[in-house]
Amino acid sequence: MVRRFYGLPSLTALATFEASARHGNFTLAAAELNVTTGAVSRQIKSIEQELGVALFLRTGKGVMLTAPAEDLYRALATGFARASEVVNSIKQGNSARNVTIACSDVFGTMWLIPRMPDFWRRFTDISVDHLIGDNFKTFRPSQLELRIRYGSGKWIDEAAEFLFDDCLYPVCSPGFAERHAGASAADLADLPLLNVEWVEPGWTGWEEVLARGGVPYHAASGRRFGKFSVALQAAMADQGLVVGWHRMVGPLVEKGDLVRFTELVVPDPGAYYLTWNSTRALPAAALSLRDWIRMLAEEERRTPMPLARPFS
């Protein structure tokens, strides 16, 4: 019997493990691989028996990787991503000038896409694909070259370059502001607040904004939305107040679609970063897009922001 050259478990089992680790859920992995959940469990069990260690801890919401499994997943994800790059390169040919960038719905809609015409004028030979979504776990590393992310700037296996910071303030429709004329920051918790939930863990909501602004807060009922862009639409439709990121909502305030409500302004605890996989080199098209975004970010940093003005 000929032994496997690399001494690895079967590729089917490894692919099943990688999908399960990426999703943190056997059912989702089964759906991606078009097999049953039982088949996924059997493949995982076969690897665990071969390695002699447990790879997953079962939880009520799915599965979690054990320490040895973290190392295996990192190696497989990197290898599969690189293999995907090579396959795509072979399919497209060496002359392909294509780059894929991922960002959140609100960043794409309100910051990146309105500026893209300038990129098209400068780089007529480059094709850019946009992956837009608020859950980065749904993006496979092999699908993209660049990301624009909001947060602390620290992500596993990603090089992160600071783009710009931001500040936060309440915004609403002109009609809402007129009806509540004279209200102060101290009154915010008693007004209709539009909450954005079910997004990335680092998202800054009303509770944190009011706490940072020194405004008394109490748990209040309010409408909840899974996307910031939808919450903005609700605010413009006269339905309440939403936390506004100045870099994103500034143009809407300038147009008069939204107005700032009270003088409360607090620094954003997070920032925007341009990231890419630190384990592989960027192709020429991605480097062009990266340099262009760097230029825009430098211009953005030179634009003055409202000064932080907590409640007093």
Side-chain angles (χ1 to χ4, degrees):
M1 180 178 177
V2 179
R3 299 183 63 182
R4 285 171 289 189
F5 183 78
Y6 291 104
L8 294 172
S10 73
L11 287 178
T12 299
L14 291 175
T16 302
F17 165 76
E18 189 276 338
S20 300
R22 176 162 32 84
H23 287 292
N25 187 289
F26 286 174
T27 302
L28 294 178
E32 177 185 319
L33 299 171
N34 196 30
V35 298
T36 65
T37 305
V40 169
S41 297
R42 288 191 293 273
Q43 292 290 348
I44 298 302
K45 185 177 181 180
S46 72
I47 300 181
E48 291 179 328
Q49 289 176 338
E50 183 169 344
L51 299 181
V53 297
L55 297 176
F56 292 99
L57 299 175
R58 277 65 174 176
T59 69
K61 296 183 179 179
V63 292
M64 293 178 55
L65 291 175
T66 62
E70 289 278 4
D71 295 334
L72 178 59
Y73 172 65
R74 191 173 294 113
L76 286 175
T78 300
F80 285 165
R82 179 55 185 154
S84 177
E85 284 181 9
V86 173
V87 170
N88 289 332
S89 177
I90 293 172
K91 288 181 178 179
Q92 297 172 359
N94 293 330
S95 61
R97 294 277 284 166
N98 180 274
V99 57
T100 301
I101 184 169
C103 64
S104 68
D105 176 65
V106 65
F107 194 95
T109 302
M110 306 188 73
W111 196 90
L112 182 60
I113 298 302
R115 291 167 169 79
M116 284 303 297
D118 177 70
F119 183 83
W120 304 133
R121 288 190 292 269
R122 294 170 183 263
F123 303 95
T124 58
D125 62 328
I126 296 179
S127 175
V128 179
D129 295 330
H130 297 269
L131 288 181
I132 307 296
D134 293 322
N135 186 352
F136 278 91
K137 290 183 179 179
T138 62
F139 299 147
R140 298 181 187 178
S142 61
Q143 288 180 300
L144 51 91
E145 286 77 41
L146 298 171
R147 298 182 183 185
I148 296 177
R149 303 188 69 167
Y150 169 84
S152 65
K154 296 179 180 179
W155 294 282
I156 296 175
D157 289 338
E158 285 191 71
E161 183 174 300
F162 174 78
L163 293 179
F164 43 79
D165 56 7
D166 210 340
C167 65
L168 309 165
Y169 46 71
V171 291
C172 61
S173 69
F176 184 96
E178 184 177 352
R179 290 199 309 276
H180 296 87
S184 68
D187 302 313
L188 286 170
D190 297 315
L191 295 172
L193 302 181
L194 306 177
N195 302 283
V196 180
E197 300 183 7
W198 310 297
V199 290
E200 288 196 330
W203 189 269
T204 307
W206 274 112
E207 184 173 3
E208 183 173 355
V209 168
L210 295 182
R212 287 177 175 273
V215 178
Y217 176 82
H218 55 81
S221 61
R223 297 186 179 183
R224 300 187 298 170
F225 302 87
K227 283 192 174 185
F228 180 58
S229 57
V230 180
L232 280 180
Q233 291 295 322
M236 288 188 283
D238 226 21
Q239 297 176 30
L241 292 155
V242 70
V243 175
W245 273 252
H246 175 71
R247 305 283 193 189
M248 304 296 111
V249 304
L252 295 176
V253 173
E254 289 180 7
K255 289 169 56 180
D257 294 334
L258 290 170
V259 296
R260 287 179 54 189
F261 190 81
T262 76
E263 293 301 308
L264 179 69
V265 181
V266 298
D268 189 346
Y272 300 96
Y273 293 84
L274 180 65
T275 76
W276 57 93
N277 192 313
S278 60
T279 65
R280 65 179 191 263
L282 287 174
L287 292 174
S288 297
L289 181 58
R290 184 182 68 178
D291 290 344
W292 177 77
I293 292 174
R294 284 172 169 170
M295 178 189 68
L296 294 185
E298 185 177 353
E299 295 175 0
E300 188 73 59
R301 291 194 297 270
R302 290 199 297 264
T303 304
M305 292 192 300
L307 296 176
R309 191 172 302 179
F311 165 72
S312 59

